[in-house]
Amino acid sequence: MSDTDEQPPSWRYAHTDTLDGALQRGRGIGALMALRDPAAPEAVYACIRRDHRWDQQVDDRADYLARLVRDLDLDLTPIADQLYEPVDPDVDPDNTFQLGADVLTALGRGGDQSAVAVLRAYLAEGTCWSSVLSRIESQWPADDWDDLDAVCVARLSEQDEDEFAFSCPLALARWAPRQPRLAGILRRHEQRGPHARSAIPDRSSDELVTVLADPDVPRHRKLTALRELERLGKPEPRLLDLIDAGLDLPLLARSLRRLGAAAVDRARGWTPDLGAQRYWFGNLVLARHGTAADLPRLLEAWNWLRDRPDDWCGFDRLADGFARFGTAAAEAMPGLTGVWRWTPHSYERAAVLRAMLAVDPVRAQRALGPALLDCEVGTREVAAAAAARDRQPGVVVPGR
């Protein structure tokens, strides 16, 4: 669930060791549990009806849930019905329409002709048909949707033509030669061309740092200056002084990475009493460039992040630091396994698994089998590479 989404205060993820909790988090163990639990069908439908991702921009669920629908041979009717409920993109806190459409698209991509039929019908009847077309045009063979040009053109309103050109470029290009109206839309779209960058003269590093240091400059102008500084592609040591002076902007962590080891000494002095943001910046520097002497600080940072209310973002960067230190970071293993089991922010599990394998390869082996069924492709790739490298005969996915 994205941390920007509103949710009822009483709602909580189910316990991670239960079927519901494992499925909500997209864990591979949840997929294994579902194969033998009679309650699995309803649990899977519930996860498709309510999007449980922590961050919908980066966490994956569609392929994971589609695979469960296929493996459990579930009826697609309840998922199809979700698409036809009243949909307002601005008032869909459970992301019911989008996730249902994504699951059906994934099923169709895998060759499920029933799912193909459902979405083809929706293109002819559903309210948000162009949103569905934008999904399937890039994921399905053209033969599964190419013959619906007349149907879609008849449904396309004049006010939605520009949006259609941006959201369905493949369909527009493919259909334009045989649909005069689409040919006209394509010509207008091509004539506009890409949006040119505003003609703003390039500013020097000195000018940009001056803007960032000026307390009277509005935040949005400082953010623009930091973006320009980032585009210059050069390390800027003066950022360290600006951070000490209280500068706090979203892109600062990325800019600090350019400083590399030169920022380590300063980062070691950024403690929690100087503010959460500065402390976090310091941890990111130490995870990437610190030495084994910084391990106690990184372990402390891991616990600090874990104990922050409703904050599950950033474990992946600390995990990369532990992975860099290998077995010297053995004390990190309990924290890594805890986040591996509990986090709903599934995007971070690939980094956590890499760190577990580096820190304690023996204990990490037990995670590999379930990891092969994780919702995140990155996690599955890490597990598959580790299993192949070590040729572990015990890493078997039941039923595969």
Side-chain angles (χ1 to χ4, degrees):
M1 185 68 55
S2 172
D3 55 7
T4 60
D5 290 340
E6 295 182 2
Q7 56 180 310
S10 60
W11 190 88
R12 292 290 184 272
Y13 289 95
H15 193 285
T16 188
D17 291 337
T18 65
L19 173 66
D20 288 338
L23 293 179
Q24 289 168 2
R25 292 167 174 81
R27 297 181 64 203
I29 193 66
L32 294 174
M33 294 165 68
L35 295 176
R36 57 180 182 270
D37 193 325
E42 288 307 314
V44 172
Y45 283 136
C47 285
I48 296 174
R49 182 162 188 80
R50 186 189 201 284
D51 195 338
H52 295 86
R53 287 176 293 177
W54 185 263
D55 187 337
Q56 294 170 7
Q57 296 184 81
V58 295
D59 291 335
D60 288 336
R61 288 297 188 278
D63 287 354
Y64 174 83
L65 294 168
R67 190 170 64 236
L68 285 164
V69 170
R70 181 203 64 195
D71 291 350
L72 298 174
D73 195 24
L74 299 186
D75 182 4
L76 300 188
T77 302
I79 308 173
D81 289 346
Q82 291 180 201
L83 306 186
Y84 289 92
E85 296 175 3
V87 175
D88 181 344
D90 297 324
V91 188
D92 187 13
D94 292 341
N95 204 32
T96 301
F97 172 82
Q98 302 286 357
L99 186 56
D102 286 340
V103 169
L104 289 168
T105 300
L107 286 166
R109 187 179 68 241
D112 187 324
Q113 292 306 303
S114 295
V116 171
V118 167
L119 292 186
R120 281 177 58 87
Y122 187 84
L123 290 179
E125 305 164 359
T127 303
C128 300
W129 62 271
S130 62
S131 178
V132 167
L133 180 60
S134 71
R135 288 169 164 77
I136 67 176
E137 67 162 21
S138 61
Q139 297 188 46
W140 288 5
D143 289 347
D144 285 341
W145 53 270
D146 186 50
D147 60 324
L148 294 173
D149 53 322
V151 171
C152 293
V153 169
R155 306 200 66 201
L156 180 61
S157 65
E158 289 186 12
Q159 60 264 34
D160 290 334
E161 288 181 349
D162 287 341
E163 177 60 30
F164 180 83
F166 282 105
S167 63
C168 303
L170 300 180
L172 178 62
R174 191 174 184 90
W175 290 343
R178 58 182 190 258
Q179 292 289 342
R181 182 182 171 197
L182 295 186
I185 295 172
L186 181 60
R187 281 195 299 273
R188 294 199 305 272
H189 187 63
E190 290 175 339
Q191 287 169 358
R192 291 192 183 103
H195 293 291
R197 182 184 164 192
S198 300
I200 301 175
D202 290 335
R203 293 184 281 185
S204 68
S205 296
D206 290 344
E207 291 173 299
L208 295 170
V209 169
T210 298
V211 170
L212 291 170
D214 189 339
D216 296 325
V217 172
R219 181 180 174 86
H220 71 276
R221 286 183 54 198
K222 289 189 176 185
L223 188 56
T224 298
L226 187 59
R227 289 195 180 102
E228 290 184 49
L229 195 62
E230 180 69 16
R231 280 198 296 268
L232 294 178
K234 301 175 183 177
E236 180 46 75
R238 288 173 289 184
L239 285 177
L240 298 173
D241 293 329
L242 294 176
I243 292 172
D244 278 336
L247 184 64
D248 171 12
L249 293 171
L251 296 180
L252 273 172
R254 191 168 70 187
S255 298
L256 280 176
R257 285 203 291 268
R258 293 191 184 279
L259 294 175
V264 166
D265 287 342
R266 188 75 65 93
R268 286 174 175 148
W270 290 341
T271 54
D273 57 296
L274 296 177
Q277 192 76 299
R278 205 184 316 182
Y279 177 59
W280 182 241
F281 287 156
N283 292 324
L284 297 182
V285 170
L286 297 179
R288 195 175 182 92
H289 302 289
T291 68
D294 297 305
L295 274 171
R297 159 75 178 261
L298 294 176
L299 290 167
E300 174 191 272
W302 186 277
N303 295 331
W304 172 84
L305 182 61
R306 182 199 61 202
D307 294 339
R308 286 170 64 84
D310 297 326
D311 191 350
W312 286 94
C313 299
F315 288 110
D316 56 339
R317 301 183 191 183
L318 296 179
D320 287 341
F322 294 139
R324 192 164 62 84
F325 294 121
T327 55
E331 286 186 63
M333 193 63 175
L336 289 165
T337 55
V339 168
W340 171 255
R341 288 180 59 231
W342 280 97
T343 183
H345 191 7
S346 55
Y347 175 80
E348 299 198 317
R349 282 203 292 265
V352 171
L353 181 59
R354 274 195 301 269
M356 290 165 63
L357 288 164
V359 166
D360 192 336
V362 175
R363 286 181 62 191
Q365 293 300 318
R366 70 187 70 173
L368 293 184
L372 292 169
L373 291 178
D374 194 86
C375 68
E376 296 290 335
V377 63
T379 303
R380 299 195 298 272
E381 289 174 348
V382 171
R389 181 179 62 247
D390 299 335
R391 297 187 179 278
Q392 291 292 324
V395 180
V396 176
V397 179
R400 298 294 185 277

